[in-house]
Amino acid sequence: MTAPLRVAVTGAAGNIGYSLLFRLAAGDCYGKNQPIILQLVEIPPAMGTLEGVAMELDDCAFPLLHGIEMADNPGGGFRDANQVFLVGSKPRGPGMERNDLIKENGPIFVGQGKALDGAASDVFIVTVGNPCNTNGWIAMQNASKVPNARFTAMTRLDQNRAMAQLAKKAGVQTTDIENMIVWGNHSSTQFPDFTHATIGGKPAADVLDRDWLEGEFFATVQKRGAAIIKARGSSSAASAASAAVDHMHDAWFGTDGRAVSMCVPSDGSYGVPNDMIFSFPCVCTGQGNYEIVSDVAFGDFGNGKIATTRDELAGEAGLVADLV
Ligand code: NAX
């Protein structure tokens, strides 16, 4: 029998956790032959709720779930973990600006970054809690033993949203959409690059109207999170969990040469400063290894969009300079 993978999830009693944990335990991420031990991490006031979630996990009798451990601190929660989902952080409250959120949540990732030094030597991390690029960067800067390349953040939900919009508009299935990469920050400055996407093997811009792509498509993808909050009364949870599963699944199994959107520390490609956690097209080669696709050619349109989202991330880094 394969040895169990230790999978740590912060914010495990929250909305995303409530969907994510059950997908993980069902084998949707690491495969139907890979047992896991869940290491659930919460803050002390949420431990009661977490007990209830753990009871429900027990009640599913998942064959692959070989253990559930709970911790109210990241030191205990991350010990020996192989895979880590950093989901927990405070949601944006009424009237709160993005910059307030960055300052509010940043300190959480200082302690979590340091605690990741106690994880397994092959630890691989995705940050989901917003602002995810900057939070992941803070954690990376505070971990001294974990290689930078093991820190990633999530734009897969944005990619999935973009693929769904293209498929719907063109009247095809999402499997007909390829190379739909979201670049930059997981925020409204993100760049959903339709210029290199294909629909049924043809450039998206040959299949769909360019005005629609630059107008409604862009706005829909960039503002989808807000639209979900308005419609549902709370933020995307099941779709975010599903995207986190996609992200970690592809990093673990590899993508057979296909590029997917992942926020990873920059290697200087496309004028993005080294180590900025920026969403690039990445080809995953398995066990958390990946390569940034570094030869995508852009004209003024794409270069301008990349510069905007890069500058926003540089501004966020400035706001939390005291935490790294
Ligand atoms: P919830 O408020 O339902 O749950 C968050 C959980 O995190 C709570 O149970 C809370 O107790 C816990 N928590 C807070 N601080 C913690 C800490 N220091 N250590 C451990 N746990 C802690 O939010 P939920 O809907 O689950 O969303 C979680 C995060 O994902 C939010 O920051 C949200 O903005 C972000 N999202 C990111 C997305 C992405 O694509 N990157 C999309 C969905 C979502 O908006």
Side-chain angles (χ1 to χ4, degrees), residues 65 79 81 98 189 196 198 216 224 230 239-240 247 286 302 305:
L65 186 56
R79 194 162 305 128
R98 187 174 168 86
T189 67
H196 295 90
T198 60
E216 202 179 319
R224 187 70 164 182
K230 193 162 172 240
S239 57
H247 178 115
K305 299 284 180 203

Side-chain angles (χ1 to χ4, degrees), residues 10-17 41-43 46 87-92 101 105 108 112 127-132 154-158 161 186 235-237 240:
T10 70
N15 281 309
I16 293 176
V41 189
E42 261 295 347
I43 48 175
V87 180
S89 61
K90 292 176 202 160
R92 197 193 297 205
L101 185 75
N105 280 329
I108 295 174
Q112 293 189 351
T127 306
V128 175
N130 280 321
C132 64
M154 189 173 93
T155 40
R156 188 57 172 267
L157 178 55
D158 307 291
R161 287 167 171 167
H186 169 68
S235 67
S236 320

Side-chain angles (χ1 to χ4, degrees), residues 6 8 39 74-84 112-125 145-146 151:
R6 291 189 155 269
Q39 301 186 186
F78 295 161
R79 194 162 305 128
D80 299 328
N82 307 101
Q83 300 273 304
V84 177
Q112 293 189 351
K114 293 185 198 306
L116 282 164
D117 281 339
S121 58
D122 69 343
V123 67
F124 184 79
I125 302 135
K145 293 190 192 148
V146 184
F151 284 89

Side-chain angles (χ1 to χ4, degrees), residues 1-120:
M1 175 57 107
T2 317
L5 266 183
R6 291 189 155 269
V7 183
V9 179
T10 70
N15 281 309
I16 293 176
Y18 196 64
S19 178
L20 176 63
L21 301 178
F22 296 84
R23 296 281 308 274
L24 294 172
D28 292 352
C29 193
Y30 303 107
K32 304 288 182 190
N33 294 317
Q34 176 60 62
I36 63 169
I37 294 172
L38 283 172
Q39 301 186 186
L40 309 181
V41 189
E42 261 295 347
I43 48 175
M47 291 308 282
T49 309
L50 188 61
E51 292 274 356
V53 176
M55 286 159 72
E56 284 204 72
L57 282 164
D58 278 341
D59 294 350
C60 294
F62 286 118
L64 293 170
L65 186 56
H66 282 207
I68 303 173
E69 297 172 5
M70 286 178 267
D72 65 2
N73 65 87
F78 295 161
R79 194 162 305 128
D80 299 328
N82 307 101
Q83 300 273 304
V84 177
F85 293 74
L86 299 180
V87 180
S89 61
K90 292 176 202 160
R92 197 193 297 205
M96 207 174 177
E97 295 299 325
R98 187 174 168 86
N99 288 356
D100 300 331
L101 185 75
I102 292 169
K103 287 194 199 142
E104 187 87 21
N105 280 329
I108 295 174
F109 293 84
V110 173
Q112 293 189 351
K114 293 185 198 306
L116 282 164
D117 281 339

